[in-house]
């Protein structure tokens, strides 16, 4: 199984509304992308200086499913929004 984790730091402008919208759109991908085995989206409550605002934990059966997800049109729509409203992101992919 493949684990894909991404963390996002959002711009201050409309931050809460943008976090809510991105969370909604990410959660919808589970029903839209067959290659996506599971997804968990979490919003940070700590607000520490080191914290990112939102994290995404998703799983796939194999690397091919992760690649299919990466180029899926529905995922790319969410990526476009995320690029508009975030300052920074970090990612890690690993085999479980």
């Amino acid at each position: 199984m493949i684990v894909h984790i991404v963390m996002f730091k959002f711009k201050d402008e409309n931050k809460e509304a943008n976090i809510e919208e991105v969370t909604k759109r990410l959660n919808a991908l589970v029903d839209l992308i067959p290659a996506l085995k599971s997804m968990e989206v979490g919003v940070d409550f700590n607000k520490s200086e080191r914290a990112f605002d939102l994290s995404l934990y998703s799983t796939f059966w194999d690397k091919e499913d992760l690649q299919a997800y990466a180029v899926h049109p529905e995922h790319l729509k969410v990526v476009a929004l995320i690029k508009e409203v975030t300052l920074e992101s970090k990612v890690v992919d690993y085999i479980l």
Side-chain angles (χ1 to χ4, degrees):
M1 185 168 69
I2 302 297
V3 175
H4 173 67
I5 300 173
V6 189
M7 297 185 306
F8 303 98
K9 193 169 290 246
F10 281 69
K11 296 176 182 176
D12 286 335
E13 184 180 349
N14 299 316
K15 186 175 193 172
E16 296 306 318
N18 288 333
I19 289 172
E20 187 175 322
E21 182 64 22
V22 168
T23 298
K24 181 178 89 175
R25 291 196 191 186
L26 285 171
N27 282 322
L29 294 179
V30 174
D31 295 327
L32 299 173
I33 303 177
L36 181 56
K37 182 178 176 218
S38 70
M39 179 179 287
E40 180 178 301
V41 180
V43 177
D44 177 63
F45 67 84
N46 195 16
K47 310 295 184 205
S48 79
E49 187 176 305
R50 293 180 51 216
F52 277 63
D53 299 305
L54 183 141
S55 67
L56 162 69
Y57 177 94
S58 52
T59 61
F60 304 85
W61 288 113
D62 52 35
K63 291 178 184 178
E64 292 76 20
D65 282 350
L66 175 58
Q67 181 56 33
Y69 166 78
V71 298
H72 193 283
E74 293 299 328
H75 175 247
L76 294 176
K77 290 177 189 177
V78 180
V79 168
L81 170 62
I82 288 170
K83 286 182 177 181
E84 289 178 24
V85 299
T86 61
L87 297 168
E88 182 180 2
S89 66
K90 300 291 182 186
V91 64
V92 62
D93 297 311
Y94 60 90
I95 299 171
L96 186 62

